[in-house]
Amino acid sequence: MRSPDVRDDAEEGDPVDVRLGARLAELRAEHGYSLGELADRSGVSRSTLSRAERAEISPTAALLNRLCAVYGRTMSQLLSEVESAPAQVLRAAEQPVWRDDASGFVRRSVSPPLAGLRAELIEGHLEPYADIAYDRPPVPGLEQHIWVLDGRLDLTVQSTTHTLTTGDCLRFRVWGPTHFHCPGPEGVRYALVVVAP
């Protein structure tokens, strides 16, 4: 059975996956964790962690979220560390896009994290019937504002499901699990503002 934490479509030598794997290995070394210790802290198997660090697999959003929770950073912070330094003006064609094909999620970093600034802006797209579940926040108390641009999104925060349609906005702090679901039949596109506590 395939792990929900990995994507089978990892391309050989994908530059982003290679840089991401190297950064994950650096973070583990910086914290002084063995693979076993990191597996215990994250709930991700040692073999999956090892393969992600060697860029043999493309980690899913759920796996990256678990690692971000251990390292106390947002997914955007982690992904920005493997991208080139963001400019003050980031043209649409230059905005980093990350895909999790296994879950039907596309994430555009419209305004990635930048030293000295606490907020970031993300555009998310979920295919019809797609699900993404995060078992914990990457940083407890992280402030989020989700504005649905097109479609419908069912978002569960602290055991309460909110149905959002075009134009609706939900704002909250993340303390526990969250679940994003696109009920279809069309996809959903939303803007997400993340503010570090």
Side-chain angles (χ1 to χ4, degrees), residues 59-126:
T60 64
L63 182 145
L64 290 179
N65 186 69
R66 288 177 177 212
L67 294 177
C68 286
V70 171
Y71 295 133
R73 60 193 352 98
T74 66
M75 191 182 310
S76 291
Q77 288 170 326
L78 174 64
L79 292 174
S80 73
E81 292 169 8
V82 300
E83 298 289 340
S84 57
Q88 193 168 20
V89 175
L90 199 58
R91 306 292 178 201
E94 300 167 346
Q95 296 166 1
V97 175
W98 183 76
R99 298 175 188 283
D100 180 355
D101 293 330
S103 64
F105 176 49
V106 178
R107 180 184 192 284
R108 175 183 298 276
S109 190
V110 177
S111 178
L114 185 63
L117 301 178
R118 292 180 47 225
E120 60 186 280
L121 178 60
I122 298 156
E123 178 188 6
H125 179 266
L126 285 174

Side-chain angles (χ1 to χ4, degrees), residues 13-161:
D14 180 339
V16 174
D17 284 340
V18 171
R19 291 192 307 270
L20 182 57
R23 183 60 185 136
L24 292 174
E26 288 172 2
L27 283 169
R28 184 168 59 81
E30 288 169 12
H31 285 78
Y33 298 148
S34 67
L35 280 172
E37 289 170 323
L38 183 57
D40 290 343
R41 290 174 180 271
S42 66
V44 178
S45 74
R46 288 175 51 164
S47 63
T48 297
L49 293 169
S50 177
R51 293 183 68 208
E53 288 181 3
R54 293 191 315 266
E56 293 176 359
I57 58 168
S58 293
T60 64
L63 182 145
L64 290 179
N65 186 69
R66 288 177 177 212
L67 294 177
C68 286
V70 171
Y71 295 133
R73 60 193 352 98
T74 66
M75 191 182 310
S76 291
Q77 288 170 326
L78 174 64
L79 292 174
S80 73
E81 292 169 8
V82 300
E83 298 289 340
S84 57
Q88 193 168 20
V89 175
L90 199 58
R91 306 292 178 201
E94 300 167 346
Q95 296 166 1
V97 175
W98 183 76
R99 298 175 188 283
D100 180 355
D101 293 330
S103 64
F105 176 49
V106 178
R107 180 184 192 284
R108 175 183 298 276
S109 190
V110 177
S111 178
L114 185 63
L117 301 178
R118 292 180 47 225
E120 60 186 280
L121 178 60
I122 298 156
E123 178 188 6
H125 179 266
L126 285 174
E127 295 176 2
Y129 315 109
D131 280 293
I132 299 179
Y134 299 107
D135 61 353
R136 66 188 102 172
V139 177
L142 193 66
E143 181 181 340
Q144 295 191 353
H145 301 253
I146 297 179
W147 179 30
V148 175
L149 303 173
D150 294 299
R152 179 178 158 186
L153 176 67
D154 291 340
L155 178 56
T156 304
V157 180
Q158 296 176 342
S159 303
T160 300
T161 300

